[in-house]
Amino acid sequence: MSAVTEQKTEGARSKPEPGRGIAVKVFYPIIRFVLLVFMRFYHWPTFRGFDRLPEGACILCGNHSGFADPLWVDMGLKTRVPPWTMAKNVLFEKNRFFAKFLMAFRAFPVNRDAVDIASVKKSLSVLRKDEKLLIFPEGTRVKHGKVVTPKNGAILLAQRADVPVIPVFITPDRKPFQPIKVIMGEPYRPACSCRRPDSDELDRLTAELMDKIRALGNQQTSKR
């Protein structure tokens, strides 16, 4: 192997994968602080239940009605780095710079209309490294009062990685300068009947997860 080839190989090995570089380690806390100030002015959030967050790997699952939903969950977590977030692939296809920005801050694409092996492998890799993963089972932003069939990927990943699922409720139908609530529920492990549950069981457990998320919205809010 030539010296030039060795240098290229060494450079490739030393380059961190997206989401583990200087952006998330250095710039994320600064960006997070600026966003927190702006978002608290734009809305008046109440966070509740975030002391329930377990150590190690888990899957956070929330309802999805606005583009800022991942940010609201992140604001409540108060962690040094954001959770990894599964996001629809079209966000990564429109603009190369925006795609790199998303990946630098731990978002990765998923094809919602097919079995996306790459996103499954990425999710399992994250969970097996004791990191946290954020998924919105509805798969798209849903207007208040509308209902869609949720995807069962979160339950499947929780079962394969043997990690808890945590329901999170975020106030839908948000309007500027109005209060919202972000509530974290109790972590739990979906009760799968076997190691390889069929699609009917996954759909049933996913429906139960969405019921848990909606139930959090009916609770009275109080500051954590």
Side-chain angles (χ1 to χ4, degrees):
M1 183 181 294
S2 67
V4 174
T5 303
E6 288 180 354
Q7 288 178 356
K8 289 184 178 180
T9 302
E10 184 64 28
R13 290 175 180 174
S14 61
K15 184 178 180 180
E17 67 174 297
R20 300 190 188 278
I22 189 172
V24 76
K25 293 178 180 179
V26 177
F27 297 119
Y28 165 74
I30 300 172
I31 294 174
R32 185 183 183 279
F33 175 78
V34 174
L35 285 174
L36 180 59
V37 171
F38 173 77
M39 291 171 71
R40 282 187 176 275
F41 173 76
Y42 194 65
H43 288 292
W44 308 316
T46 297
F47 297 97
R48 180 181 176 187
F50 279 77
D51 55 341
R52 296 168 175 163
L53 185 70
E55 296 289 336
C58 63
I59 301 178
L60 300 152
C61 294
N63 59 302
H64 195 21
S65 63
F67 188 78
D69 288 338
L71 298 176
W72 285 120
V73 176
D74 186 36
M75 295 300 108
L77 291 177
K78 292 186 176 180
T79 51
R80 295 183 62 183
V81 294
W84 294 86
T85 303
M86 189 180 286
K88 58 184 179 182
N89 56 348
V90 294
L91 293 175
F92 298 80
E93 297 170 354
K94 294 180 179 180
N95 183 287
R96 182 184 300 180
F97 175 79
F98 186 57
K100 289 185 177 181
F101 178 84
L102 290 175
M103 291 188 290
F105 291 96
R106 298 197 162 187
F108 61 94
V110 59
N111 184 346
R112 301 170 297 173
D113 301 319
V115 178
D116 192 333
I117 300 301
S119 69
V120 171
K121 289 183 177 179
K122 177 64 177 181
S123 299
L124 291 175
S125 172
V126 164
L127 295 170
R128 286 166 180 163
K129 291 176 181 176
D130 269 349
E131 296 175 312
K132 292 171 173 53
L133 176 64
L134 174 61
I135 296 177
F136 296 100
E138 291 165 309
T140 188
R141 296 191 294 276
V142 181
K143 293 183 178 180
H144 185 52
K146 300 292 184 180
V147 178
V148 300
T149 301
K151 312 294 185 182
N152 57 28
I155 298 296
L156 180 61
L157 289 170
Q159 193 273 337
R160 287 191 179 180
D162 191 23
V163 299
V165 172
I166 308 177
V168 181
F169 175 83
I170 310 163
T171 298
D173 195 28
R174 300 185 290 270
K175 293 185 172 50
F177 311 112
Q178 289 186 354
I180 71 167
K181 55 185 177 181
V182 187
I183 305 174
M184 178 178 288
E186 293 285 351
Y188 78 101
R189 293 178 185 267
C192 297
S193 62
C194 60
R195 294 191 63 181
R196 292 185 177 275
D198 59 25
S199 59
D200 289 339
E201 184 172 17
L202 290 172
D203 290 343
R204 176 181 61 80
L205 293 172
T206 299
E208 290 180 359
L209 168 61
M210 295 307 301
D211 287 342
K212 289 179 182 290
I213 293 171
R214 285 188 284 265
L216 291 171
N218 297 324
Q219 298 179 6
Q220 293 183 351
T221 57
S222 62
K223 292 190 176 182
R224 58 180 173 177

